Amino acid sequence: GTRGTPKKMRGVQARIAVGAFQAALGEARRGRALRRAGGVSGPSSVQDLCAGRGSCRLTTVLRTRCLPVRAMQRESHSGAQECAPRYFRGKDGEEVAALEAVALSKEVLESDILLVGETHDNSAAHRIELDLLEMLSSSTHLKARKIVLSLEFFDTDVQLIMDEYLNGIISEEQFKTLARAPSNYVAAYRPLVEFAKERGLRVIAANAPRRYVSLARKVGREQLSAAVLPEAVKLLPPLPYSAASERYARKFEAIMRALRGGDDGAEYSVPAGMLDAQSLWDAGMAHSITREFAACAADTSTQRPLIVHISGTFHVEHELGIHEHLQLYRPDLKRVSVIIDPGAEPLSLPTSSDVPLGTFVVKTSGASS
């Protein structure tokens, strides 16, 4: 609830939804206060963020939207002139010629899992993801591999519905309704799903169901197994799932303080339930990925998979979140990450003690390193 929350926090800032939270990560990452939101309806407190309630419109800096090289001739929805993104290696900032160079890099070709981090309202990121999936599916270097698409935007309890749609059993309208497709599905993720359907690729509904994320926020990760029915366990990662690492917790708390804003932000202590809920998303997606590898291993006729998982940047940048849970579940699997950053700021290179933002970083604004 809002008890104990200053009045100024009971309004717009306290009602920032998960979608705007993801869109604001680039700003928060650099330690700046997030812009105030407008046109809000939804959660009554910051604690509701991890339950995924509400929606809002975030006032952000206008950015030039950029297209992959292959799509340079496509017309922008906004009518604004678009430019080609730039690709960098996260470790040293070396610029890579094109997306093809990323897709055909040694790191990607030798990996088991490709984690792609996006800002959910970045239309350039969605086109890059489709281009990347097409390149991997068509690559002669990966003919002996099974390309699998994994998506944050669908929960594990709709996997059967996803499978039924991909196999032509139900209509697209039925699929969108029954699978609880996100509001930006048609513009952002439909091209990926339709490409997978056309090519016969498997699509993993990877995320933990939102109702259990909300429950984890209320009861905590240690008590979640006692709070759900036995049948629900198969939809979740092994319980209790691992607690957030110290690095992840610090990063999450810094963003929550930035979201609060004002002088009281520095003193704000993030409730443990919020962090437990956030971690359930990470653990759930990691477990869905590793479960696919287990299924492929059990079927000797199945090719070794390369799983392309798409989620918000917070879940995969700096080798945190999903990376950490994958390391716990399957440390033998090789991981590589591509972070698609819409920010106009120059690429921030890691120091000797830092972890890069990603194996590869895509700047969709055309910013230099």
Side-chain angles (χ1 to χ4, degrees), residues 220-242:
R221 67 179 188 87
E222 292 285 356
Q223 301 303 318
L224 185 59
S225 60
V228 299
L229 297 176
E231 281 296 299
V233 173
K234 64 184 179 183
L235 301 174
L236 296 167
L239 301 176
Y241 53 93
S242 179

Side-chain angles (χ1 to χ4, degrees), residues 53 68 261 347:
R53 292 191 287 273
L347 178 64

